Amino acid sequence: MMARDILIVDDERDICLLMSETLEDEGYSTRLAHDGPSALEAVRARCPSLVILDIWLGDSRFDGVKVLEHLMQDYPDLPVVMMSGHGTIETAVETIKKGAYDFVEKPFKMDRLLVVTKRALEATQLRQENQDLRVRSGVDSLYLEEAVLTAALKKEIKRLAPTSSRVFLTGEVGTGKSFVARLVHHYSNRAKGPFIPLSCAALKEETLATALFGCEEGGSIKIGALERAHQGTLFLDEVADLSPEVQRGLLKALQEASFTRVGGTQKVAVDVRVISSTAQDLKEAIAAGTFREDLYNRLCVSHLQVPSLRERMGDLPQLVDVFSSIAALSHGVVRLTFSPDAILALQTYSWPGNLSQLKNVVDWVYVTVNEKGLPEEGVTPDMLPFDVTNETPTLASKEDGMGRLITLPLREARQEFERDYLLAQVVRFSGNISHTANFVGMERSALHRKLKSLMIERRS
């Protein structure tokens, strides 16, 4: 577990040291400040996980309440615990109204301080997790059960996660790279820290630097993704879309473990693990001069290739089963089953949108089927979207297929049927001849000869 960073602000140095020692004994890391300006300076240097702030700081012009007001203006999500040896109910209520998480009165027992500290950090973590859930449930996000990942990929995730190395994810759009990044974070030593995703493709070039590094303007500070990910994981999705200027700033941040906010001058030190992804060929981008090779080398310490759906078509029945369960829960209806013919139709489609597209198709079926009524025999091919079934070999369309076959002599009709049937099976098993032969009940060599005689080419 990464140590949570706590800033203690009190003009009584002995009390600061006592609290620091107690908190560090519990596994936290601490920093100390003894007046208002130095407290704000410490927060500007790097936003902590929690601030423990004394109301009376020996300066009536810049007391703890004033510091709290500044913090809530620039860092509204930062939890602050106020403390005072001269506290009253009115003072406590005032600070809570101004945004403080809690108030403790001096002299306090250390057990009480530890309880309040733990609760404040847990409340902040819960709020962040709720925000993550809302993001993951959005239409542009892919929320996958771990069950949909291949066994080999899950093994690699669990091997790489506990290490501190940066991870570079490649794969087509919709393969679940963002979910893989979340799992790497989940199984890592940073799992208690934040997971901060940043979509580089979704932001305009002029706003990307601010979103990543934050900014300082007019005396106010906006915290960027890099700083929010301190002691956690930063996920840069579609990193190939970073502008040359942002690439340069990110490379420097990785080299120095610190950065400067846009418009600022002070260095911000951070401890962040970076996971990045792309669906583009970065080697081509490097050759074209649009992506820095030295940045690529920094990001790609460990590499994971996320397979396309076409490469694992044999897993499609299991994937449909998982997505069907998710859709049933989402829509609050009885779970649908997909008939073998429907699965075959899905297996013969090319899936350019990969897992994300399959999930959307299953969800679409739930919407349209519930409008028409729940079929007893399960989902059939005619209930699938037209763009999916339109790519299926002619065997899946019985009416058209039979209409064409009855116009042919028996020998040609048999050959045509065999060709459509075997084509559907070859596509179903992603071109794997051994699996196809086992299913259709032929020897592998005999199937090879038959495919050659029927002029059927294996799909890549």
Side-chain angles (χ1 to χ4, degrees):
M1 174 180 174
M2 300 296 296
R4 308 305 295 273
D5 181 25
I6 298 175
L7 176 64
I8 303 169
V9 186
D10 197 318
D11 60 334
E12 298 183 66
R13 297 174 184 268
D14 290 343
I15 291 180
C16 270
L17 289 173
L18 178 60
M19 287 193 292
S20 175
E21 291 171 357
T22 302
L23 290 168
E24 290 186 352
D25 285 343
E26 295 296 317
Y28 301 106
S29 66
T30 62
R31 290 181 283 157
L32 308 180
H34 304 296
D35 55 50
S38 62
L40 294 179
E41 190 69 19
V43 176
R44 287 174 184 268
R46 187 182 66 246
C47 188
S49 304
L50 172 70
V51 175
I52 301 175
L53 174 61
D54 188 34
I55 288 182
W56 309 106
L57 296 176
D59 184 352
S60 59
R61 297 168 301 175
F62 211 146
D63 61 8
V65 176
K66 192 73 171 178
V67 174
L68 175 65
E69 291 173 349
H70 280 281
L71 292 177
M72 291 301 97
Q73 178 181 340
D74 293 335
Y75 310 89
D77 294 328
L78 175 61
V80 179
V81 173
M82 304 298 295
M83 57 183 178
S84 174
H86 312 282
T88 63
I89 295 297
E90 291 77 11
T91 304
V93 171
E94 180 189 0
T95 57
I96 297 298
K97 284 182 176 180
K98 289 181 181 292
Y101 172 78
D102 205 346
F103 181 93
V104 293
E105 188 176 358
K106 295 180 182 178
F108 49 78
K109 293 183 178 180
M110 285 299 171
D111 287 347
R112 160 71 174 159
L113 180 66
L114 292 175
V115 168
V116 172
T117 297
K118 185 171 183 286
R119 287 178 179 172
L121 291 171
E122 287 176 346
T124 304
Q125 182 177 344
L126 181 60
R127 184 169 62 250
Q128 181 61 53
E129 289 174 354
N130 287 336
Q131 291 173 352
D132 289 346
L133 284 173
R134 285 195 293 272
V135 169
R136 289 196 328 212
S137 62
V139 295
D140 294 328
S141 300
L142 178 64
Y143 177 63
L144 298 172
E145 297 291 345
E146 190 174 346
V148 306
L149 299 179
T150 64
L153 187 56
K154 284 189 282 189
K155 182 178 179 181
E156 279 299 288
I157 288 171
K158 292 181 179 180
R159 181 182 70 84
L160 290 176
T163 70
S164 58
S165 67
R166 301 183 191 107
V167 180
F168 194 76
L169 306 174
T170 55
E172 296 178 10
V173 172
T175 52
K177 297 187 292 297
S178 61
F179 182 68
V180 171
R182 286 183 183 277
L183 278 184
V184 172
H185 172 74
H186 175 72
Y187 288 116
S188 75
N189 297 327
R190 296 173 177 265
K192 296 294 184 181
F195 177 86
I196 306 297
L198 181 65
S199 176
C200 304
L203 296 171
K204 296 180 179 179
E205 183 175 337
E206 57 268 24
T207 60
L208 190 52
T210 298
L212 179 58
F213 301 115
C215 69
E216 298 182 22
E217 185 177 5
S220 65
I221 294 178
K222 180 179 179 181
I223 302 300
L226 189 55
E227 190 169 353
R228 288 190 289 120
H230 178 61
Q231 296 189 331
T233 302
L234 173 65
F235 174 50
L236 297 175
D237 192 20
E238 293 303 333
V239 71
D241 289 305
L242 292 176
S243 67
E245 180 183 355
V246 176
Q247 288 181 42
R248 184 167 56 253
L250 178 59
L251 176 63
K252 189 174 182 181
L254 296 178
Q255 291 171 332
E256 301 177 359
S258 65
F259 66 96
T260 303
R261 301 186 192 99
V262 176
T265 57
Q266 184 174 358
K267 290 281 188 180
V268 180
V270 287
D271 173 18
V272 174
R273 182 184 196 176
V274 176
I275 301 176
S276 49
S277 76
T278 185
Q280 302 181 38
D281 188 338
L282 276 195
K283 294 296 178 65
E284 290 185 1
I286 291 170
T290 59
F291 199 87
R292 298 178 63 112
E293 185 173 14
D294 47 3
L295 176 58
Y296 172 77
N297 292 333
R298 287 274 178 179
L299 293 173
C300 191
V301 177
S302 298
H303 175 237
L304 280 180
Q305 173 70 29
V306 184
S308 67
L309 184 51
R310 293 184 304 281
E311 297 174 82
R312 45 180 307 206
M313 202 60 77
D315 295 337
L316 190 135
Q318 175 194 353
L319 300 174
V320 171
D321 188 61
V322 171
F323 290 139
S324 183
S325 298
I326 293 174
L329 289 172
S330 175
H331 294 281
V333 297
V334 176
R335 183 178 171 280
L336 301 179
T337 58
F338 284 68
S339 69
D341 285 345
I343 294 295
L344 175 59
L346 293 173
Q347 285 179 314
T348 55
Y349 181 60
S350 60
W351 297 109
N354 293 291
L355 293 177
S356 181
Q357 185 184 9
L358 176 61
K359 180 177 182 291
N360 290 338
V361 165
V362 172
D363 197 67
W364 180 89
V365 168
Y366 269 77
V367 173
T368 56
V369 164
N370 286 330
E371 290 175 351
K372 299 175 181 178
L374 192 66
E376 294 182 1
E377 68 273 24
V379 177
T380 54
D382 61 304
M383 297 174 184
L384 299 174
F386 175 77
D387 59 343
V388 172
T389 55
N390 190 45
E391 194 175 291
T392 303
T394 54
L395 182 67
S397 178
K398 295 180 180 179
E399 184 177 346
D400 292 345
M402 287 304 297
R404 179 169 47 82
L405 290 178
I406 61 176
T407 64
L408 300 174
L410 177 61
R411 181 177 178 180
E412 291 182 21
R414 184 191 300 118
Q415 182 174 333
E416 189 73 13
F417 174 83
E418 280 187 331
R419 186 181 188 284
D420 285 350
Y421 173 79
L422 293 177
L423 173 59
Q425 299 302 342
V426 169
V427 173
R428 178 185 183 186
F429 290 101
S430 304
N432 188 307
I433 297 301
S434 296
H435 292 173
T436 305
N438 288 336
F439 181 81
V440 302
M442 296 178 66
E443 293 290 336
R444 190 173 185 276
S445 57
L447 178 58
H448 263 300
R449 289 193 297 272
K450 176 62 72 173
L451 294 176
K452 186 175 181 179
S453 69
L454 295 174
M455 294 182 292
I456 296 178
E457 296 182 355
R458 291 171 58 187
R459 283 193 178 189
S460 58

